[in-house]
Amino acid sequence: MYRTHNCEKLRINNIGEDVILSGWVQKIRNLGGMTFIDLRDRYGITQLVFDMNTNSDLCLKARKLGREYVIKINGKVVERSNKNMDMPTGEIEINISDIDILSKSSVPPFTIENNTDGGEELRMKYRYLDLRRQTVKNSIILRHKMAQEVRSYLNLNDFLEIETPVLIKSTPEGARDFVVPSRMNAGKFYALPQSPQLFKQLLMIGGFDKYYQIVKCFRDEDFRSDRQPEFTQIDCEMSFVEQDDVINMFEGLTKHLFDKILNIKFKEKFPHISYQDAVNLYGSDRPDIRFDMKINNITEIAKGNNFKVFDDSEYIGGICAKGLGNYSRKQLDKLTKWVRRPQIGAKGLVYVKCNNGNFKSSVNKFYSQTDLEKWAKKFDANSGDLLLILSGKKTEILFALGELRLEIANRLNLRNNNKYSPLWVVDFPLFEKDETGNLRAMHHPFTSPKTEDKQLLDTEPEKVKANAYDLVINGVEIGGGSIRIHNNEMQEKIFDLLGFSKEEAKAQFGFLMNAFKYGAPPHGGVAFGFDRWTALFNNSESIRDIIAFPKNNTGKDIMIDAPADIDKKQLNDLHLRTTVKF
């Protein structure tokens, strides 16, 4: 027997019991006559005590142990004289009678503690060691609990968990596919799924009216803190539903997770905001509404005063930074440099300081106190506030103001990680234009248009709104979905507007179009980013924190050295040649 208890289990009521524990050596403290060891396993830490006066051989053996040695001990639970009430087992310790070394350890490349001295790349190289740290372990345990609660809620609502294929056909869905060569079909390739979109629609046609899957998806795209080449979705679909049915079902899932995981109860319905309002008021289609600071459009009242920068601009807008009216010129210059960065893209910054009816501005030469007072009223500004104003092309300036809004909120500590503000963004455009001016699907080509906008498909397709919806929490897009097209006539029209020829549409999606011929129910669904959701609940900046074996920011697994070369025989078997020299 390796253990009678885990290292978190024993308490004051276990005093006098003979126990067996196994785990890793966390720390060794040699105090002369006594030696103490912290023994760690997945569950926690228990202190072991070795007395030189009672058993000197055993005490000397303990002193020769190293960090991360795996040991098994026999001993008796005794009351701890110097109690540590900050740890669950802090009232007891184990008086050791025997010790076995199960596995020795080299000196770890970093300390296996919450506050480690290892950088991210080093810890990713030795991820199996990093997983022993309690903070990382807690993240993985949280992920497990999240998955269990997702399944619990969906199972209770009659959803069926059904697996879909991993080796599929490459289809144009936005990002690049990862492809897999076929040995048995020379020159042919599978693709790894970016999502199970088509298969879940086929399941609805197959009569499985409520489907879900916690599923791996793959996208070959540039990486950020919230992206990985392989990621996990909570993928769901329902038949015989409208938009509100789907939103209500998965708002219920959201409230269930907040309740069960964070003990936060939402009684009211989540607010809804249109895509256009989100962009106009917050500069983003995933607005953080934990704080106000909405964007104000002052184009009409700011033009016409011979200030060329404004007069030549399509859009003039800004935000009110409450209480920052005391910003110095140096601070304002730094903020101007911040908005001029390439990732923000603004050409300059206009400010107005509000002080008891007096207004000091960087454009005082062109605007009177009366003009600036009108601006202040528009922003609902008070004495001591600071107006920050940008101008230029509308889409670019709204984006820049959205980023500036978040930056000012960070400086004012308005983005409280212990506060959660979910909302639904709805009424997305069905299409957007690419760099060449051609239409492309804002979500995917299987999203249905709003019934009231269908007549615009032939005349003004860019004005058509979609039956689509996103769940946003604290400025993070947790997931989204739509009501799908379920008949060939509408699907063919959308493909045509997106520039697919009939031959291309048939080659790419012929199996779906054929399935529509045999009675497709109205259906819709949603897919949530499971990694993002877990990271949000874990207060993590990066989804790498909550993935057991993540890739780094260049898509590499530096622990196993992947991606890696394959030998020439494998290439020949797969009917491949490469220009890379071995």
Side-chain angles (χ1 to χ4, degrees):
M1 181 183 293
Y2 284 110
R3 55 187 180 184
T4 57
H5 301 76
N6 64 51
C7 290
E8 193 271 340
K9 189 75 173 175
L10 298 169
R11 299 291 189 273
I12 196 80
N13 59 320
N14 296 110
I15 287 174
E17 293 182 20
D18 293 317
V19 298
I20 304 171
L21 302 180
S22 293
W24 286 263
V25 173
Q26 172 84 11
K27 286 181 181 177
I28 303 173
R29 299 183 297 281
N30 179 1
L31 302 182
M34 307 284 284
T35 297
F36 296 94
I37 290 178
D38 287 346
L39 187 68
R40 182 193 71 241
D41 65 7
R42 167 189 146 186
Y43 305 93
I45 291 175
T46 298
Q47 179 170 283
L48 315 180
V49 59
F50 300 81
D51 191 334
M52 197 71 172
N53 295 323
T54 305
N55 192 328
S56 59
D57 291 339
L58 197 60
C59 193
L60 291 172
K61 184 177 181 179
R63 291 176 182 178
K64 292 179 181 178
L65 299 175
R67 282 191 173 219
E68 301 308 309
Y69 273 43
V70 183
I71 63 173
K72 167 190 166 184
I73 61 92
N74 294 65
K76 188 181 292 291
V77 182
V78 297
E79 186 172 3
R80 189 165 164 174
S81 59
N82 184 20
K83 293 181 174 62
N84 181 356
M85 303 310 294
D86 292 331
M87 57 188 294
T89 59
E91 292 185 275
I92 59 95
E93 59 193 8
I94 313 299
N95 198 343
I96 305 303
S97 58
D98 192 23
I99 183 171
D100 287 330
I101 298 174
L102 302 178
S103 178
K104 293 183 178 180
S105 172
S106 300
V107 176
F110 54 86
T111 54
I112 315 296
E113 295 178 1
N114 287 347
N115 296 318
T116 183
D117 55 358
E120 186 178 45
E121 286 288 297
L122 181 64
R123 289 185 287 109
M124 288 184 71
K125 183 176 181 180
Y126 297 94
R127 183 62 169 177
Y128 46 86
L129 296 180
D130 199 32
L131 288 171
R132 296 179 189 175
R133 295 196 302 125
Q134 196 60 49
T135 50
V136 181
K137 198 175 299 176
N138 289 344
S139 300
I140 303 304
I141 292 170
L142 172 66
R143 185 186 181 98
H144 161 76
K145 291 177 179 177
M146 292 273 289
Q148 294 304 306
E149 291 300 338
V150 167
R151 288 189 168 95
S152 173
Y153 176 87
L154 294 174
N155 292 343
L156 286 172
N157 283 279
D158 296 326
F159 283 79
L160 298 175
E161 184 170 12
I162 305 174
E163 292 181 340
T164 53
V166 173
L167 294 175
I168 65 168
K169 180 181 183 178
S170 181
T171 58
E173 291 189 45
R176 289 179 291 272
D177 286 327
F178 284 102
V179 296
V180 180
S182 171
R183 177 182 60 82
M184 294 183 289
N185 299 275
K188 304 292 184 182
F189 294 82
Y190 299 104
L192 302 181
Q194 296 185 31
S195 78
Q197 178 63 46
L198 296 173
F199 288 99
K200 65 182 179 182
Q201 290 192 250
L202 292 171
L203 284 170
M204 297 302 104
I205 295 170
F208 293 93
D209 68 334
K210 289 183 177 180
Y211 141 92
Y212 83 94
Q213 190 179 186
I214 300 178
V215 59
K216 281 284 188 183
C217 301
F218 307 86
R219 290 181 186 171
D220 184 6
E221 58 187 353
D222 296 334
F223 303 123
R224 301 193 301 249
S225 62
D226 62 351
R227 286 182 181 172
Q228 284 274 288
E230 53 179 314
F231 57 96
T232 305
Q233 280 186 185
I234 307 168
D235 197 60
C236 309
E237 197 79 3
M238 305 167 68
S239 291
F240 305 110
V241 291
E242 297 178 333
Q243 178 169 303
D244 285 348
D245 299 315
V246 180
I247 286 177
N248 290 338
M249 177 63 70
F250 293 101
E251 184 167 315
L253 171 62
T254 307
K255 290 178 177 178
H256 176 83
L257 290 175
F258 269 109
D259 183 14
K260 298 298 182 181
I261 302 297
L262 298 182
N263 196 29
I264 295 174
K265 292 175 172 58
F266 285 97
K267 295 181 179 179
E268 303 298 325
K269 289 183 70 68
F270 297 165
H272 290 209
I273 186 173
S274 72
Y275 166 84
Q276 202 57 60
D277 282 347
V279 172
N280 288 339
L281 296 176
Y282 300 99
S284 172
D285 61 359
R286 44 185 176 84
D288 187 343
I289 60 169
R290 284 175 291 180
F291 57 99
D292 193 20
M293 206 187 300
K294 294 184 180 72
I295 294 169
N296 282 276
N297 179 357
I298 60 167
T299 307
E300 290 188 9
I301 63 174
K303 281 193 172 188
N305 281 49
N306 297 318
F307 181 45
K308 186 174 175 56
V309 173
F310 280 5
D311 290 345
D312 292 348
S313 293
E314 176 189 0
Y315 176 88
I316 308 164
I319 58 172
C320 177
K322 296 291 183 182
L324 293 190
N326 59 354
Y327 251 34
S328 66
R329 183 57 184 267
K330 184 176 181 181
Q331 287 173 306
L332 289 166
D333 287 345
K334 284 184 177 180
L335 200 56
T336 301
K337 287 182 180 179
W338 189 91
V339 300
R340 282 177 172 166
R341 295 181 309 156
Q343 54 267 51
I344 305 300
K347 293 180 180 178
L349 176 69
V350 169
Y351 70 84
V352 179
K353 294 181 178 182
C354 306
N355 185 19
N356 293 323
N358 293 316
F359 303 95
K360 183 178 180 182
S361 169
S362 53
V363 290
N364 276 350
K365 180 179 178 181
F366 301 95
Y367 295 92
S368 67
Q369 290 289 297
T370 302
D371 294 328
L372 297 178
E373 185 177 13
K374 289 180 182 178
W375 295 9
K377 286 182 178 179
K378 181 77 172 176
F379 283 83
D380 194 25
N382 297 312
S383 180
D385 293 345
L386 174 69
L387 309 186
L388 300 169
I389 300 164
L390 304 177
S391 65
K393 186 178 178 182
K394 183 175 182 179
T395 55
E396 294 173 358
I397 294 305
L398 284 172
F399 167 78
L401 285 170
E403 295 298 301
L404 179 60
R405 175 179 179 270
L406 297 178
E407 173 65 16
I408 296 300
N410 288 334
R411 296 185 182 197
L412 293 172
N413 296 315
L414 298 177
R415 304 181 77 186
N416 181 357
N417 285 337
N418 294 316
K419 179 181 179 182
Y420 295 90
S421 298
L423 78 157
W424 291 99
V425 181
V426 297
D427 294 341
F428 285 86
L430 186 63
F431 303 108
E432 59 185 348
K433 288 189 176 181
D434 63 18
E435 307 78 37
T436 61
N438 293 322
L439 294 179
R440 63 183 178 193
M442 178 164 270
H443 284 81
H444 54 62
F446 316 109
T447 299
S448 70
K450 292 275 190 182
T451 302
E452 61 270 24
D453 288 348
K454 286 180 180 179
Q455 74 277 6
L456 297 173
L457 287 170
D458 293 322
T459 56
E460 298 178 287
E462 66 276 8
K463 292 185 178 180
V464 176
K465 292 190 289 295
N467 267 315
Y469 33 85
D470 281 358
L471 175 66
V472 177
I473 306 175
N474 292 4
V476 178
E477 181 193 328
I478 295 300
S482 66
I483 300 300
R484 323 302 185 189
I485 297 166
H486 69 280
N487 64 76
N488 272 334
E489 293 76 17
M490 180 58 71
Q491 191 64 74
E492 286 172 353
K493 178 174 278 292
I494 297 300
F495 282 150
D496 181 57
L497 287 167
L498 292 172
F500 286 88
S501 67
K502 289 187 176 181
E503 293 75 19
E504 289 171 333
K506 184 177 180 181
Q508 294 286 353
F509 306 109
F511 59 93
L512 179 66
M513 307 288 282
N514 195 52
F516 282 163
K517 296 177 183 178
Y518 297 97
H523 59 282
V526 67
F528 296 106
F530 183 56
D531 307 300
R532 288 185 186 179
W533 208 337
T534 309
L536 179 73
F537 276 22
N538 198 52
N539 281 329
S540 295
E541 293 293 325
S542 170
I543 63 172
R544 291 193 292 269
D545 295 344
I546 50 83
I547 297 173
F549 297 102
K551 308 291 189 293
N552 69 5
N553 57 10
T554 63
K556 293 181 179 179
D557 186 327
I558 57 178
M559 182 182 68
I560 64 171
D561 192 26
D565 297 328
I566 59 173
D567 63 34
K568 290 184 178 179
K569 183 178 183 308
Q570 284 179 289
L571 287 172
N572 290 335
D573 288 344
L574 296 169
H575 318 286
L576 294 176
R577 287 185 297 173
T578 177
T579 57
V580 177
K581 293 182 179 180
F582 289 91

